Amino acid sequence: MKTNNKINYFNLAYKIVEDEYGTLASIYGISDCTLWILYSLYAYTDENLTQTDIAHSLHLNKYSVSSAIKKT
């Protein structure tokens, strides 16, 4: 498989997964950002995560994380 085909395949797979998470968030009436925050809290239950930790791990700015938490 050529590199461009691998990249295209990866991007397609990533898009499909992202769409599924978006659908799940919509079903529960929450934003994608909130879903990923909840996922992070679940995945790292043994750690004491700060909003900054979550922002860094999800590649979000701290304002987005703070705003999503306030809305929840």
Side-chain angles (χ1 to χ4, degrees):
M1 188 181 280
K2 291 183 178 182
T3 301
N4 284 343
N5 289 341
K6 288 179 183 178
I7 292 170
N8 289 339
Y9 181 76
F10 175 81
N11 286 339
L12 176 62
Y14 179 81
K15 178 73 171 133
I16 290 169
V17 171
E18 279 292 307
D19 287 347
E20 290 299 317
Y21 277 112
T23 299
L24 183 63
S26 179
I27 288 170
Y28 286 101
I30 59 176
S31 69
D32 290 0
C33 185
T34 301
L35 178 72
W36 284 112
I37 292 168
L38 292 172
Y39 176 85
S40 295
L41 292 172
Y42 175 78
Y44 302 103
T45 54
D46 295 337
E47 299 179 32
N48 294 320
L49 296 177
T50 65
Q51 289 182 21
T52 301
D53 295 332
I54 294 169
H56 284 273
S57 70
L58 296 175
H59 304 282
L60 299 170
N61 63 49
K62 290 186 287 186
Y63 175 78
S64 295
V65 174
S66 177
S67 178
I69 291 170
K70 286 179 183 177
K71 291 179 183 178
T72 304

